[in-house]
Amino acid sequence: MRPIITELDNNKKGSIRTDVADLVMVKYKCSSNGVPITQTNGSTLPLVSSTSKDAEFGGYNPFDHRTVQYPTTDMETFIHLLKGSLGSGILAMPLAFMNAGLVFGLVATAIIGFVCTYCVHILVKSSHKLCRRMQVPALGFADVAEVAFLAGPPAFHKFSGLFRGLVNTFLTIDLLGCCCVYIVFVAKNIKQVMDEYVLELNVRWYMLMMLPLVILMNLIRNLKYLAPFSMIANFLVGICMTITFWYVFQDVPSTKTVPYITDWHKWPLFFGTAIFALEGIGVVMPLENNMKTPQHFIGCPSVLNIGMSIVVLLYSTVGLFGFLKYGDKTEGSITLNLPKDQLLAQSVKVMIAVAIFLTYSLQFYVPFEIIWKGTKHRFTSHPIVFEYLLRVFLVVCTVIVAIACPNLGPVISLVGALCLSFLGLILPSCIDLVTCWEEPGLGRGYWRLWKNLAIIMFGILGLVTGVYSSVLDIIVQFNQ
């Protein structure tokens, strides 16, 4: 439930606008920035014969050439960053701590938060360098990946299209995976309430009953008409989080009741869940591109550092006290641990289920746009009909996956390990390495090379082990 911070106007040259900035609750929108440049067929990159290193050292300042219709202040950007990073993943942090242990969970969360924040730093710095070299005012997430390899050494040029495709592919998988998580989340919360007051049914039946409503919601093609649903969802989430924390912080047991560190084979599940919750790199480029003073986004102190410090602190607090409260009975979402015999607690489950249900369409909007943009040229005879059919098909696919894997923990861990390890750790390090390869170089003793390789290896290790552990868990539960 992270917001689209900007929506880019490709028809109005040189403009970056911020419609529905506070209303839309999906992670991010990765697209062209509407920069007034000559373009090749289907390309979002400028036609230039060569990059300019002189421009990078003062000859061209991208900040002076940005035309932002509604620029955001430092405080507004800070608020957007918090909204973009504080999503439904915070409800899964107690489960992450259960797979790590009390002390190890705190230490590892701080380390992952630091590494994720650092990767945002190097991504934004690389974007600034590339904007100067290519002499364009702003670049989107996929644009940065493509331009980095085009503007780097000649040996890397052939990989530019590949990395742009990988960014969009992993964004699509990540966001559709989140849609699957949302289906499971809503069904499980509704099931607990229905089991208590009406009748007991398998959770899969609730997913099937949701399908017609989800399809109808996602036939809405205009993002403008989805914005009111986001307002309602925001309001409900705020109420639910307040009540949930009130329950969690009551009668917290002693720290001796839970393990300080768990068996190492559970750590990959922790990694996947934690990075799913903490990683918000997709909102970074839209935020920075729309700031009145983009120089304040990174640095020390900066909007990014202060915002991410608060995010890591909040996630650590929820994970620590949630795990202390419920121990080895911790569920995939902390709301599922709330008392079943109290009306207030049951109302939380209903409200959070409604909020997440309303958020599904907004989360679905971005991956659909990426897929439709790449396929609509094949359906020129009746594009509207085929668009609706594709929407229905993708919605049905997410529900089928949710029915096959009706457990939040492994699914969240799988999405986090697979997609966000690549987008949040591996990709920024690759971009930084290629961008700095020739200028300013790899540094004394090739320190920049070893630093980025260390982060890449950390990301690959988390990706492989997290995916492996999550898939094993999903297979076990599927067989059961």
Side-chain angles (χ1 to χ4, degrees), residues 168-213:
N168 284 330
T169 299
F170 278 98
L171 286 176
T172 302
I173 296 172
D174 172 35
L175 293 170
L176 289 179
C178 289
C179 289
C180 299
V181 172
Y182 284 5
I183 294 293
V184 177
F185 186 95
V186 173
K188 285 208 163 189
N189 279 274
I190 294 298
K191 172 180 166 54
Q192 280 202 355
V193 178
M194 295 295 287
D195 287 353
E196 185 70 22
Y197 297 105
V198 186
L199 77 164
E200 292 189 16
L201 286 176
N202 189 290
V203 68
R204 292 180 171 92
W205 286 110
Y206 291 103
M207 298 180 193
L208 283 174
M209 286 187 281
M210 286 168 53
L211 180 58
L213 295 176

Side-chain angles (χ1 to χ4, degrees), residues 305-322:
N305 287 347
I306 297 172
M308 286 304 296
S309 297
I310 293 174
V311 168
V312 172
L313 179 62
L314 287 173
Y315 275 66
S316 299
T317 302
V318 173
L320 171 68
F321 286 97

Side-chain angles (χ1 to χ4, degrees), residues 167-401:
V167 170
N168 284 330
T169 299
F170 278 98
L171 286 176
T172 302
I173 296 172
D174 172 35
L175 293 170
L176 289 179
C178 289
C179 289
C180 299
V181 172
Y182 284 5
I183 294 293
V184 177
F185 186 95
V186 173
K188 285 208 163 189
N189 279 274
I190 294 298
K191 172 180 166 54
Q192 280 202 355
V193 178
M194 295 295 287
D195 287 353
E196 185 70 22
Y197 297 105
V198 186
L199 77 164
E200 292 189 16
L201 286 176
N202 189 290
V203 68
R204 292 180 171 92
W205 286 110
Y206 291 103
M207 298 180 193
L208 283 174
M209 286 187 281
M210 286 168 53
L211 180 58
L213 295 176
V214 178
I215 290 175
L216 288 175
M217 282 276 294
N218 286 278
L219 293 180
I220 300 175
R221 300 171 60 237
N222 195 326
L223 191 64
K224 176 182 179 181
Y225 300 121
L226 294 175
F229 297 119
S230 178
M231 295 174 58
I232 299 171
N234 268 325
F235 178 72
L236 292 175
V237 168
I239 296 175
C240 293
M241 296 293 284
T242 302
I243 298 174
T244 300
F245 292 155
W246 183 75
Y247 276 104
V248 167
F249 291 125
Q250 282 188 357
D251 302 322
V252 179
S254 168
T255 56
K256 296 179 181 179
T257 59
V258 294
Y260 289 173
I261 187 170
T262 60
D263 295 334
W264 63 270
H265 67 271
K266 292 184 178 181
W267 295 355
L269 292 174
F270 163 81
F271 175 85
T273 305
I275 199 169
F276 175 89
L278 285 167
E279 189 54 73
I281 198 165
V283 303
V284 167
M285 298 314 304
L287 278 175
E288 189 271 343
N289 286 343
N290 283 273
M291 285 187 70
K292 183 183 296 184
T293 53
Q295 305 91 330
H296 296 171
F297 188 75
I298 58 175
C300 189
S302 64
V303 172
L304 176 66
N305 287 347
I306 297 172
M308 286 304 296
S309 297
I310 293 174
V311 168
V312 172
L313 179 62
L314 287 173
Y315 275 66
S316 299
T317 302
V318 173
L320 171 68
F321 286 97
F323 179 45
L324 265 179
K325 178 75 173 179
Y326 300 110
D328 58 1
K329 296 180 181 179
T330 302
E331 297 278 358
S333 169
I334 193 67
T335 57
L336 298 175
N337 284 109
L338 298 182
K340 299 178 182 180
D341 57 347
Q342 296 184 23
L343 188 60
L344 181 63
Q346 296 292 62
S347 69
V348 170
K349 297 170 188 176
V350 174
M351 286 188 291
I352 199 71
V354 172
I356 297 300
F357 176 80
L358 295 177
T359 306
Y360 179 102
S361 298
L362 301 165
Q363 188 83 2
F364 179 82
Y365 182 87
V366 176
F368 176 80
E369 285 294 303
I370 294 173
I371 294 172
W372 181 242
K373 189 179 294 183
T375 57
K376 63 182 179 181
H377 64 279
R378 301 179 183 274
F379 309 109
T380 54
S381 57
H382 300 90
I384 302 299
V385 174
F386 283 107
E387 180 182 347
Y388 281 125
L389 289 176
L390 181 59
R391 285 177 176 273
V392 173
F393 173 75
L394 291 175
V395 169
V396 171
C397 286
T398 61
V399 174
I400 290 174
V401 173

Side-chain angles (χ1 to χ4, degrees), residues 40-105:
T40 59
N41 292 333
S43 174
T44 59
L45 300 179
L47 279 175
V48 292
S49 57
S50 63
T51 58
S52 172
K53 296 295 191 296
D54 293 335
E56 184 178 339
F57 295 98
Y60 179 87
N61 186 354
F63 307 142
D64 294 337
H65 295 269
R66 291 183 183 177
T67 306
V68 183
Q69 187 174 354
Y70 303 109
T72 55
T73 64
D74 290 357
M75 180 56 67
E76 290 169 340
T77 305
F78 172 77
I79 294 171
H80 286 319
L81 180 64
L82 291 182
K83 287 178 66 179
S85 301
L86 290 172
S88 59
I90 193 171
L91 300 173
M93 282 306 294
L95 177 68
F97 272 62
M98 187 180 74
N99 289 317
L102 198 66
V103 176
F104 182 71

Side-chain angles (χ1 to χ4, degrees), residues 3-8 16-19 21 29 286-287 289-290:
I4 290 178
I5 303 301
T6 63
E7 187 180 8
L8 305 172
I16 305 176
R17 58 191 178 87
T18 54
D19 294 348
K29 188 168 184 177
L287 278 175
N289 286 343
N290 283 273

